[in-house]
């Protein structure tokens, strides 16, 4: 989001900063004894987006801790929303070959971003830049209505336009201001339920999203044709080889041990605020 400061502290939110670990403080670095405070502007920007995307706004909501360990997560948990997202049940209509298709939106919620990992080539180490840790991140989850790479492309393009028009995000994918996580499930045509879901994380261009969907659809089809099982996992995209690769087995919601964030008050959204 385009706020001046981060989600829970007063550090600068600046995606143009190229020097590593400049916009950091004890709060976003998760030092013991520090206390977060909610960025009202970020709440406003998510609600503005949710209204533009026909969502219903939750009047009583709260933040939760999502617990997992990853090198770029300084606190060892992420402050996010799970049980009571700021908004639910919206939609975005996209045009495709002269026809209109409605993509339903399951939720739009607010959380903080993680840091950024760099993997220098020809070394066996990684570097972390925490400038991005703690910046306000809006997460939008669609229903499984997108059926191919073309529909995904049109959805992203339309969403980007709306975010820029509302001035809630620059939505520049190359800068990481907008990232796409593709979830793909296949099923035989006659079957009602979707098959096992595979997530491909942190895609940073529309072209990459299209290539990922096409590759992963083909990969999963071939597995099913061999009558083998798809593993529920998180995969990454390898730009040079143009393939997806396994990163880790996919967690379920209960694996994150969500519980209400004890250091933040619940949010009550007044009608006049809307």
């Amino acid at each position: 989001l385009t706020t001046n400061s981060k989600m829970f502290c007063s550090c600068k939110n600046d995606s143009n900063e190229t020097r590593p670990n400049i916009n950091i403080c004890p709060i976003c670095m998760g030092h013991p004894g520090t206390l977060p405070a909610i960025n009202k502007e970020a709440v406003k920007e998510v609600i503005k987006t949710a209204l533009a995307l026909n969502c219903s706004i939750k009047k009583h909501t709260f933040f939760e801790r999502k617990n997992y360990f990853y090198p770029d997560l300084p606190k060892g948990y992420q402050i996010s929303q799970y049980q009571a997202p700021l908004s639910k049940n919206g939609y975005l209509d996209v045009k495709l070959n002269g026809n209109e298709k409605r993509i339903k939106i399951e939720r739009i919620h607010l959380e903080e971003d993680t840091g950024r990992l760099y993997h220098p080539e020809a070394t066996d180490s990684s570097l972390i830049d925490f400038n991005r840790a703690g910046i306000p991140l809006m997460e939008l989850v669609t229903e499984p209505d997108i059926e191919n790479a073309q529909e995904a492309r049109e959805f992203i393009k339309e969403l980007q336009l709306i975010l820029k028009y509302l001035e809630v995000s620059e939505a520049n994918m190359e800068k990481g201001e907008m990232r796409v996580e593709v979830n793909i499930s296949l099923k035989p045509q006659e079957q009602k339920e979707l098959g096992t879901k595979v997530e491909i994380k942190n895609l940073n261009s529309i072209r990459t999203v299209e290539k990922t969907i096409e590759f992963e659809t083909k990969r999963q089809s071939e597995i099913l044709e061999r009558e083998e099982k798809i593993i529920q996992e998180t995969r990454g995209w390898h730009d040079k080889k143009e393939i997806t690769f396994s990163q880790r087995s996919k967690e379920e919601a209960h694996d994150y041990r969500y519980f209400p964030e004890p250091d933040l008050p619940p949010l009550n959204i007044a009608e006049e605020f809307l």
Side-chain angles (χ1 to χ4, degrees):
L1 296 171
T2 56
T3 56
N4 292 323
S5 56
K6 289 187 180 182
M7 187 60 222
F8 300 113
C9 65
S10 57
C11 287
K12 203 173 174 190
N13 171 15
D14 182 9
S15 60
N16 293 313
E17 180 57 77
T18 53
R19 296 168 299 168
N21 301 311
I22 294 294
N23 298 325
I24 59 172
C25 75
I27 297 173
C28 57
M29 291 303 291
H31 290 193
T34 56
L35 285 171
I38 298 167
N39 185 333
K40 186 178 179 180
E41 199 54 39
V43 174
K44 208 167 161 181
E45 289 188 358
V46 169
I47 290 175
K48 195 196 262 191
T49 307
L51 292 171
L53 295 169
N54 313 291
C55 295
S56 58
I57 310 299
K58 197 152 184 65
K59 297 287 177 68
H60 307 290
T61 179
F62 56 92
F63 286 98
E64 286 162 280
R65 287 190 184 182
K66 180 182 183 181
N67 298 277
Y68 64 98
F69 175 78
Y70 206 63
D72 59 8
L73 195 69
K75 293 196 283 273
Y77 61 85
Q78 177 189 33
I79 301 177
S80 183
Q81 291 188 303
Y82 176 59
Q83 293 176 68
L86 266 168
S87 65
K88 288 198 88 167
N89 304 331
Y91 62 86
L92 177 58
D93 292 330
V94 297
K95 286 192 172 66
L96 204 74
N97 304 325
N99 299 317
E100 205 162 60
K101 174 162 181 178
R102 178 158 293 182
I103 309 293
K104 294 190 290 298
I105 293 162
E106 192 260 317
R107 58 159 57 209
I108 304 175
H109 68 254
L110 187 52
E111 59 187 28
E112 58 179 339
D113 208 347
T114 60
R116 201 171 187 171
L117 282 171
Y118 291 90
H119 311 286
E121 282 190 27
T123 69
D124 58 357
S125 59
S126 294
L127 303 172
I128 310 178
D129 176 10
F130 286 111
N131 282 340
R132 203 172 71 183
I135 69 167
L137 192 63
M138 171 168 65
E139 180 153 306
L140 179 152
V141 183
T142 70
E143 296 286 359
D145 292 339
I146 296 170
E147 294 179 87
N148 54 49
Q150 293 74 33
E151 287 182 12
R153 179 190 66 220
E154 294 310 313
F155 180 84
I156 295 164
K157 280 165 71 177
E158 193 61 31
L159 180 62
Q160 250 182 336
L161 277 175
I162 290 169
L163 297 174
K164 288 178 181 180
Y165 178 79
L166 295 174
E167 296 180 346
V168 299
S169 176
E170 297 290 329
N172 183 325
M173 293 183 79
E174 282 70 34
K175 281 190 190 173
E177 293 165 343
M178 181 175 178
R179 307 194 287 282
V180 176
E181 325 227 292
V182 171
N183 290 273
I184 296 180
S185 315
L186 300 188
K187 67 174 183 66
Q189 278 188 319
E190 66 279 1
Q191 188 178 303
K192 267 195 169 179
E193 284 77 36
L194 284 165
T196 303
K197 183 172 70 176
V198 173
E199 181 176 33
I200 300 94
K201 296 202 61 100
N202 288 332
L203 305 175
N204 60 3
S205 79
I206 293 176
R207 189 74 199 105
T208 303
V209 170
E210 289 184 282
K211 284 180 179 176
T212 301
I213 292 171
E214 283 158 5
F215 176 86
E216 190 59 22
T217 305
K218 186 172 181 289
R219 185 189 76 86
Q220 289 188 30
S221 298
E222 287 168 357
I223 291 171
L224 293 173
E225 279 161 13
R226 294 196 300 268
E227 296 185 354
E228 294 170 9
K229 282 192 172 172
I230 308 267
I231 301 161
Q232 181 165 321
E233 61 180 343
T234 298
R235 295 177 75 84
W237 173 255
H238 196 297
D239 249 338
K240 285 180 182 164
K241 294 181 183 174
E242 297 200 341
I243 58 165
T244 64
F245 61 94
S246 184
Q247 289 181 317
R248 61 178 189 269
S249 61
K250 180 67 181 155
E251 300 87 349
E252 300 285 357
H254 61 254
D255 294 324
Y256 292 120
R257 307 187 320 282
Y258 283 97
F259 63 86
E261 170 53 69
D263 293 334
L264 292 172
L267 276 181
N268 296 308
I269 314 291
E271 196 56 50
E272 54 269 29
F273 185 70
L274 291 185

